[in-house]
Amino acid sequence: MARRKKIYEGKAKILYEGPEPGTIVQYFKDDATAFNAEKKAVIEGKGVLNNRLSEFFMTGLQAVGIPTHFIKRLNMREQLCRHVEIIPLEVIVRNYAAGSMAKRLGLEEGTQLPRPIVEFSYKDDALGDPLVPEEYIVAFGWASQQDLDDIVSIALRVNDFLAGVMHGVGIKLIDFKIEIGRIWENDFPRLVVADEISPDSCRLWDIETGQKLDKDVFRRDLGNLADAYTEVARRLGVLPSNVTHATKPTLIN
């Protein structure tokens, strides 16, 4: 295989130069991290599951008119994406209190919020990805006010889509985070959903039992992370219905 140029390596993915100008190859690793990478492990098969799940969500978003950077899945661990200029923000949408919000506000985990709440954190691992208000974002030039209005609109549309899909398979969408990138079309910037959407970036609870089916399983030592992700994939039809555990998942094309 030809040697590829690595652009960036993060906690869960590696980005390589793509085969055509304006494209990248996104490789999903088996690494699991929590608490800003203070806790680490390698979960066999996790990257394969997240690659396929992210493909499922990105193609679903595109089908309902929400633009993404995703082009196609290349193999078990890689997908071809458009190269985007990432806005240095994590966009968090919360439907129920959990995690840091529950701690900050003294709310019981699972408390339904009056409406979906959109928060922003500044992408900087050294600072712990701190929450930032819109005034900071505009003042420091990370995004314009028009960008922010568009980002909130996109985030809420993504929330509607994900919540509906998850509810249909008996899963409650507690919260999730996405990243937004800019692509340039004839010198005109366009905002698209970038990075990934997977159980790494969502909180997912079984509607009936409250069982956690996301990275909190790893954060809180609640069981086998591959089992949890496999269950999400099975319910969504990404894996055959008779699969109960998949360290090396068999995927449906």
Side-chain angles (χ1 to χ4, degrees):
M1 186 174 67
R3 188 176 182 85
R4 298 178 299 180
K5 181 179 179 182
K6 182 164 71 174
I7 301 171
Y8 171 80
E9 181 166 1
K11 289 175 282 191
K13 294 183 297 297
I14 304 173
L15 303 183
Y16 296 98
E17 281 189 347
E20 301 291 339
T23 66
I24 61 166
V25 173
Q26 188 163 254
Y27 174 92
F28 288 76
K29 303 193 292 184
D30 283 342
D31 297 34
T33 63
F35 311 117
N36 202 19
E38 291 179 11
K39 182 177 183 180
K40 301 178 182 179
V42 175
I43 311 295
E44 188 179 6
K46 171 180 170 289
V48 175
L49 285 162
N50 279 351
N51 180 27
R52 186 59 179 86
L53 284 164
S54 192
E55 175 198 20
F56 174 86
F57 293 126
M58 291 291 190
T59 54
L61 291 176
Q62 290 174 172
V64 297
I66 301 172
T68 82
H69 75 157
F70 179 83
I71 299 173
K72 66 179 180 179
R73 177 167 59 87
L74 297 173
N75 52 50
M76 296 283 276
R77 290 187 178 273
E78 295 179 326
Q79 49 185 237
L80 182 67
C81 302
R82 284 177 287 183
H83 190 281
V84 303
E85 174 192 331
I86 289 288
I87 295 173
L89 301 170
E90 290 185 344
V91 184
I92 304 158
V93 182
R94 300 183 183 273
N95 298 305
Y96 299 83
S100 61
M101 169 180 264
K103 292 178 182 177
R104 286 197 313 268
L105 302 180
L107 297 172
E108 181 180 353
E109 281 212 319
T111 301
Q112 186 167 5
L113 302 176
R115 59 178 176 82
I117 292 177
V118 181
E119 297 178 328
F120 301 97
S121 67
Y122 178 54
K123 281 178 55 64
D124 189 312
D125 287 343
L127 299 175
D129 299 330
L131 286 177
V132 289
E134 292 189 11
E135 287 83 355
Y136 285 23
I137 295 168
V138 175
F140 289 113
W142 301 327
S144 68
Q145 187 60 57
Q146 182 60 58
D147 285 338
L148 283 177
D149 293 344
D150 292 342
I151 289 169
V152 169
S153 176
I154 290 170
L156 292 175
R157 291 176 66 198
V158 172
N159 186 49
D160 286 344
F161 171 79
L162 292 180
V165 168
M166 291 302 185
H167 189 272
V169 294
I171 296 174
K172 184 184 295 185
L173 179 66
I174 302 299
D175 57 38
F176 67 92
K177 64 182 178 182
I178 54 174
E179 294 186 19
I180 299 293
R182 293 187 188 93
I183 59 174
W184 297 86
E185 297 175 342
N186 299 320
D187 296 327
F188 182 78
R190 185 183 185 205
L191 298 179
V192 302
V193 178
D195 193 46
E196 68 174 296
I197 299 176
S198 75
D200 269 7
S201 57
C202 304
R203 278 194 174 89
L204 307 170
W205 295 3
D206 181 86
I207 288 176
E208 296 294 330
T209 67
Q211 178 187 2
K212 293 176 173 58
L213 299 171
D214 55 69
K215 201 162 73 169
D216 276 347
V217 172
F218 174 69
R219 291 187 187 100
R220 304 182 186 186
D221 298 316
L222 298 177
N224 186 292
L225 190 67
D227 284 346
Y229 286 20
T230 297
E231 176 63 14
V232 174
R234 185 192 64 78
R235 293 195 194 187
L236 292 170
V238 173
L239 293 177
S241 60
N242 61 348
V243 171
T244 56
H245 175 75
T247 55
K248 295 182 178 179
T250 301
L251 301 181
I252 299 172
N253 286 316

